[in-house]
Amino acid sequence: MVSQPGCQGVTVFGDDADGEYGTFVLWNSEDNAAAAQVIRPKLQEFFAGNVQRLRDVRLFKVLS
C-alpha cells in the first residue's frame, strides 16, 4: 500500500486478547484512496483462509 500514489502512511493495530486487528491508511486525497481500491482483491486473496472474516473498508475525513 505504501507504494501507492498519495499514501502517507500505514498503521497496523490489534488486540491479541480478542483477535481483532485493523489497518489504518492515511491518504492525501479521496481520489488516491479510491484509486487504491485496486489493492483490495490482492489483500482478500492474501488473507483468504487466514482470517475469520474480511475486513470492513470505510473512508473517514481526517481533521488536521
Side-chain angles (χ1 to χ4, degrees):
M1 265 185 267
V2 295
S3 65
Q4 295 297 309
C7 181
Q8 295 185 311
V10 177
T11 302
V12 179
F13 56 92
D15 185 348
D16 288 337
D18 65 10
E20 292 284 330
Y21 298 90
T23 305
F24 171 79
V25 183
L26 185 61
W27 299 99
N28 67 356
S29 72
E30 287 185 48
D31 289 339
N32 282 333
Q37 290 302 311
V38 299
I39 297 171
R40 187 166 171 79
K42 293 177 185 178
L43 287 173
Q44 287 178 325
E45 183 179 324
F46 176 79
F47 287 121
N50 295 310
V51 296
Q52 292 179 359
R53 68 178 176 90
L54 294 176
R55 59 195 191 132
D56 298 324
V57 176
R58 297 181 283 171
L59 186 61
F60 297 95
K61 291 194 182 281
V62 176
L63 305 175
S64 58

